[in-house]
Amino acid sequence: MNPLLEIKQRLVYSAVAGTQLLAEDFRLKRLMEGFAPLASKNQVFQKIYTGLEQLLTAEESKRNDLLLDLIGLLDAVIYTQGTTQIEGEKTQLQMINSDAKVVSMHYSELSPLLEALTTTGSGRMEILQNVIVEKKHILADYRVVHALINDLDDAYGEMADLVYKVLKHMITQEPIEMFHGYEYYNYDYYGYTTADRWQAQYDTYILPKLDTKMMLHFLKKDFGNQELMQEKRKVFAKKVNLIQTIAGTDENEWYLSLLEYAEKDVRENAIKALSCDEKNLPLLWDMVKTEKGNCKKSVLCTLAKHMDEGSKAFWEKELQKRPANAMYFINNVDDISSDVIAKCLQNILQGMLDDAESKVAYEHLKMVLYATLGKSSDDMLETWKWIFENMEALQKKKINGNLNFALDIMQVYKKIVLWDCNEKMIAFTKENLQDKVWAYDVLFLLDLVTEKAEKVYDKWMIENKWIRKNWFDFIGYQAECTEKPYYYVTLGYTTIFDEDNYTTNQQSSWKKCKEHLDIRWFSYLKKMHEDKHLYRLLPTDNEEVLQHYGAYFYDRALHHEEKQAFYDNIFYFYGMQKCKWKKWSGTIAHMCKVQKTTYLSSIIQVFQMYEKEADDVKEEGKRVIAVYKNQKWLRNGMTTIEDLKKTLIDNGWLDVEK
């Protein structure tokens, strides 16, 4: 077959170069001479030989047709008579017995994602993000899974991280958070006390479940290539993590085999994977003495997941020398871990009380405090009891010049008791803090989570009469993206341990209240002029309450003075809108009257709200123009009254003067 293939290849080259050069192609002539002995033995070969003669001697105008006919003849002979063969024994192909999916959809819908995962350039990450939000079902297609695994090595680091995150969440079926923009939380509008005015907003999605047998095959197939592993060790490290997530202890022997030749990042994750089987503990206790750098951190991380009485002494000694290593226990909730952290925390604080010149690092104390989350062993409760008894002395101490660390301790405790909310913690808190005024905020919020609404109001507003309006900063109301609205207590940010990077991350946390707030609280907030809390906390599912406070916000919108600039002047419009209040007459005109600096954009914004809620928008347009009857400019000095009038007319908010 080789002579036929060589002739065909030469003819294809001639087609590319142009048939006008055929007469001078000495290589084709040499192939023709070598083919002559075959032509005499077979009619088909003779036909090919004759075709070559005609092609080389034909007029230039006829060569194109002859060339195409000859290539067609060669193709027919090669494809019908050719065979493929290799010497050696036959072996059975390895099959993947799996439920790999092919998504039923046009390839044109799938191709943008496949192109984003297999090419370079800008805009690819947005394509994957859009698929997660709008077409997540196509991620289960085996072609996409294969492309995702290959793209773990994406040259753009953020794309590679997102691909890894997608694969991990498809395995675990945990919701994946996708950023969808920033929302402006104005303190005056919404009552948020955070220093950040712009807050990132996320939506969560459950991705389709992966076919794990197919994925394991794809993930493991290149681990025999040690040179490639060394070159792309970060990618292979991610693959080890994904394999562990899928297979757990089933691949324990494979994890152990990696230790024989894997280096750096791959070795790190192989050590972490050993946490899946307690049989590996003797090996890990030996490795803690020999491993260095991040590999030692991975050993410590793994050992912290298998706490028993035998390991307790090691960790107590370790944390005495290096309190920052308490981070390995942040995600633990077992009693032995709780005992270890309790002892470390009390030793640090006792040292501060005993030594006026204590040099303890504030960051180390905070790390140990973070590690108390979710821990409620008897030793831990005894430590908290000791802290409460010594709180007055601790409040007088400084850490690196910081006098607020005692307050930090109580902020952490508030998160602990509300995050856990088990009966043991609740009983302990109420028993030990009931007479501590500095802990009333903790008790109040705990009651909201555990007690009936009426009882909470009676206890704090009628019996105790010791309430602080800033406590309401920690209460929220959720009416969107949920079947039934509910109130919740925000815990701010709790700290979690990131095993992949040996660092801590902040995670927003909250706890649902047992019942809706007692409506009597709104009278208290109204009396205290806490309009920001009224706006946030009014229940959207109680029409009677909404109507009552809609009238209140309307009255405030009609009579507020400029000195009340603590609230933006359009705050009350949001209040009326939330209460579905329909009488808005005079509100925009009053805003224009008392506001020294009025911008056209603000007027347009409130008119857009006005026309959706009330039916006298044109009358309000007249009232606004009347405010500026003797003026030429809006008070910001940049927009004329004529511009305002034209804008109102163009939008249908004012009739044309006759």
Side-chain angles (χ1 to χ4, degrees):
M1 295 297 291
N2 281 345
L4 293 175
L5 291 170
E6 289 173 351
I7 291 172
K8 180 192 171 184
Q9 186 179 43
R10 195 66 223 160
L11 290 174
V12 171
Y13 288 160
S14 297
V16 174
T19 54
Q20 68 271 20
L21 302 176
L22 267 172
E24 302 172 8
D25 192 343
F26 68 90
R27 293 184 181 85
L28 183 58
K29 291 177 180 178
R30 189 180 300 164
L31 288 172
M32 180 179 167
E33 292 171 1
F35 191 71
L38 296 175
S40 61
K41 298 181 182 297
N42 183 285
Q43 291 182 356
V44 176
F45 291 169
Q46 180 62 52
K47 190 172 181 180
I48 292 172
Y49 185 79
T50 302
L52 286 169
E53 285 185 320
Q54 293 174 351
L55 179 63
L56 291 173
T57 58
E59 296 178 5
E60 188 173 332
S61 61
K62 298 180 179 180
R63 287 177 187 170
N64 291 344
D65 292 338
L66 291 171
L67 177 63
L68 293 175
D69 289 342
L70 188 53
I71 290 175
L73 176 60
L74 283 164
D75 277 342
V77 174
I78 291 169
Y79 288 125
T80 56
Q81 302 300 317
T83 60
T84 300
Q85 184 174 326
I86 188 169
E87 295 182 1
E89 296 182 4
K90 293 182 180 179
T91 57
Q92 185 68 31
L93 285 173
Q94 182 182 0
M95 302 297 290
I96 307 172
N97 183 19
S98 71
D99 299 318
K101 296 180 182 178
V102 178
V103 177
S104 178
M105 65 187 307
H106 293 298
Y107 185 76
S108 60
E109 296 180 73
L110 195 64
S111 59
L113 176 59
L114 291 176
E115 184 176 351
L117 295 171
T118 55
T119 60
T120 59
S122 61
R124 299 180 300 116
M125 192 168 174
E126 287 76 8
I127 292 174
L128 178 54
Q129 290 169 336
N130 289 338
V131 166
I132 294 170
V133 174
E134 299 173 3
K135 298 180 180 179
K136 60 184 180 181
H137 63 283
I138 71 175
L139 294 169
D141 191 292
Y142 82 95
R143 294 163 290 184
V144 174
V145 173
H146 189 267
L148 284 167
I149 293 172
N150 287 339
D151 204 39
L152 285 169
D153 192 28
D154 198 288
Y156 182 49
E158 289 190 31
M159 180 68 169
D161 290 342
L162 179 58
V163 167
Y164 172 75
K165 186 178 178 182
V166 167
L167 289 170
K168 188 88 177 233
H169 284 266
M170 289 176 75
I171 296 168
T172 63
Q173 288 295 281
E174 294 176 355
I176 185 172
E177 284 191 339
M178 294 301 298
F179 169 78
H180 69 74
Y182 289 96
E183 185 169 337
Y184 186 67
Y185 281 97
N186 185 298
Y187 182 85
D188 299 338
Y189 289 4
Y190 304 102
Y192 281 68
T193 55
T194 175
D196 297 324
R197 294 301 179 100
W198 288 94
Q199 184 169 328
Q201 297 296 301
Y202 295 88
D203 287 329
T204 58
Y205 304 89
I206 300 292
L207 302 183
K209 191 169 180 61
L210 275 175
D211 172 50
T212 52
K213 289 183 180 179
M214 174 185 66
M215 190 175 181
L216 274 176
H217 173 77
F218 286 146
L219 288 170
K220 291 179 66 177
K221 67 184 182 72
D222 291 326
F223 274 87
N225 189 336
Q226 294 186 35
E227 184 177 343
L228 185 63
M229 281 179 61
Q230 178 62 26
E231 179 185 347
K232 299 183 177 182
R233 60 180 185 270
K234 291 188 180 297
V235 175
F236 278 84
K238 291 178 180 178
K239 289 183 177 182
V240 172
N241 198 332
L242 293 172
I243 291 168
Q244 180 203 354
T245 306
I246 293 172
T249 189
D250 293 342
E251 293 288 346
N252 190 58
E253 293 302 319
W254 182 75
Y255 308 143
L256 290 168
S257 70
L258 288 179
L259 299 181
E260 298 175 8
Y261 60 91
E263 299 179 7
K264 296 183 179 179
D265 306 75
V266 182
R267 183 178 182 83
E268 246 183 87
N269 281 8
I271 292 170
K272 290 177 187 174
L274 297 179
S275 66
C276 66
D277 195 333
E278 291 188 357
K279 295 177 182 177
N280 300 321
L281 288 177
L283 173 61
L284 289 164
W285 283 113
D286 289 337
M287 293 175 72
V288 79
K289 303 171 187 175
T290 57
E291 297 295 327
K292 305 293 182 184
N294 282 349
C295 286
K296 182 168 184 177
K297 291 180 181 179
S298 66
V299 174
L300 292 172
C301 183
T302 304
L303 288 174
K305 294 180 180 180
H306 295 278
M307 294 298 294
D308 55 28
E309 289 297 334
S311 60
K312 191 174 181 180
F314 166 81
W315 281 108
E316 287 176 348
K317 185 177 179 181
E318 177 71 19
L319 296 189
Q320 187 175 4
K321 293 186 294 184
R322 287 175 281 273
N325 280 350
M327 68 179 177
Y328 296 115
F329 292 89
I330 288 176
N331 298 344
N332 290 10
V333 294
D334 61 282
D335 282 351
I336 297 176
S337 297
S338 182
D339 291 347
V340 170
I341 296 299
K343 185 173 182 178
C344 180
L345 177 59
Q346 187 161 346
N347 285 343
I348 290 175
L349 295 177
Q350 185 66 63
M352 292 174 54
L353 293 177
D354 295 342
D355 183 4
E357 302 297 328
S358 175
K359 301 297 183 184
V360 63
Y362 187 46
E363 290 73 20
H364 291 173
L365 174 59
K366 287 201 297 184
M367 188 64 72
V368 178
L369 284 170
Y370 294 155
T372 59
L373 188 69
K375 298 173 178 62
S376 55
S377 65
D378 291 342
D379 284 2
M380 179 59 76
L381 297 186
E382 284 299 315
T383 295
W384 280 116
K385 187 175 182 179
W386 176 87
I387 290 173
F388 299 154
E389 291 171 351
N390 290 275
M391 183 60 71
E392 186 176 345
L394 289 170
Q395 288 173 340
K396 298 176 182 178
K397 292 289 181 179
K398 291 183 181 180
I399 298 184
N400 305 134
N402 189 332
L403 267 173
N404 293 323
F405 86 91
L407 179 61
D408 291 343
I409 291 175
M410 286 311 300
Q411 290 297 323
V412 169
Y413 184 77
K414 177 167 63 178
K415 294 177 183 179
I416 291 168
V417 66
L418 290 169
W419 182 86
D420 204 349
C421 267
N422 62 57
E423 292 182 4
K424 186 177 180 181
M425 283 295 293
I426 294 170
F428 171 82
T429 302
K430 292 185 176 181
E431 178 185 351
N432 289 275
L433 294 180
Q434 61 179 339
D435 59 344
K436 304 289 192 298
V437 174
W438 44 263
Y440 275 5
D441 60 331
V442 177
L443 295 171
F444 172 70
L445 296 174
L446 182 59
D447 282 345
L448 286 175
V449 172
T450 59
E451 303 286 355
K452 288 185 174 295
E454 183 179 357
K455 183 177 179 180
V456 176
Y457 182 86
D458 290 343
K459 175 181 177 180
W460 290 97
M461 201 68 216
I462 297 177
E463 298 172 15
N464 193 305
K465 295 184 180 178
W466 207 100
I467 189 78
R468 292 293 178 267
K469 58 187 180 181
N470 65 319
W471 295 355
F472 288 86
D473 290 338
F474 299 97
I475 305 172
Y477 179 69
Q478 175 60 265
E480 299 176 1
C481 307
T482 181
E483 292 183 6
K484 188 176 181 180
Y486 59 85
Y487 288 89
Y488 62 90
V489 171
T490 177
L491 309 185
Y493 289 97
T494 54
T495 303
I496 59 173
F497 176 54
D498 180 1
E499 295 180 9
D500 292 337
N501 302 300
Y502 314 109
T503 57
T504 56
N505 293 327
Q506 299 295 309
Q507 177 176 280
S508 180
S509 301
W510 54 273
K511 200 73 174 181
K512 196 172 179 179
C513 293
K514 186 177 181 69
E515 294 182 348
H516 269 28
L517 287 181
D518 190 299
I519 61 172
R520 290 175 291 176
W521 284 117
F522 302 123
S523 296
Y524 163 77
L525 293 172
K526 177 182 174 182
K527 180 181 178 182
M528 300 300 294
H529 295 298
E530 286 297 304
D531 294 344
K532 58 178 182 179
H533 291 319
L534 268 178
Y535 170 78
R536 290 193 308 106
L537 300 177
L538 282 175
T540 56
D541 56 349
N542 189 323
E543 291 295 330
E544 184 178 350
V545 170
L546 289 181
Q547 284 300 300
H548 178 79
Y549 288 100
Y552 169 73
F553 282 126
Y554 175 59
D555 182 70
R556 297 284 276 171
L558 275 180
H559 299 100
H560 74 275
E561 300 175 7
E562 186 179 15
K563 64 182 180 181
Q564 294 172 313
F566 175 75
Y567 298 105
D568 189 297
N569 281 307
I570 65 173
F571 166 79
Y572 296 111
F573 290 91
Y574 284 100
M576 292 187 294
Q577 191 175 52
K578 182 174 183 177
C579 293
K580 301 175 184 177
W581 184 255
K582 298 303 180 183
K583 184 180 179 182
W584 289 46
S585 301
T587 50
I588 303 180
H590 181 73
M591 180 192 79
C592 294
K593 181 179 179 181
V594 301
Q595 181 83 334
K596 284 184 177 179
T597 306
T598 305
Y599 292 89
L600 181 60
S601 59
S602 297
I603 297 175
I604 292 173
Q605 182 182 356
V606 291
F607 261 105
Q608 288 170 339
M609 298 169 67
Y610 195 111
E611 70 174 344
K612 292 177 183 178
E613 306 297 338
D615 56 7
D616 64 335
V617 65
K618 291 185 178 180
E619 292 300 315
E620 188 66 17
K622 291 180 182 178
R623 288 188 280 266
V624 168
I625 293 300
V627 171
Y628 299 112
K629 181 171 57 176
N630 299 318
Q631 294 179 218
K632 185 176 181 181
W633 300 89
L634 291 184
R635 295 184 187 178
N636 67 341
M638 297 176 62
T639 306
T640 67
I641 301 304
E642 289 302 317
D643 290 333
L644 170 61
K645 188 179 296 185
K646 183 178 184 304
T647 300
L648 296 180
I649 293 171
D650 290 346
N651 285 280
W653 301 328
L654 180 67
D655 285 330
V656 180
E657 294 180 356
K658 296 180 181 179

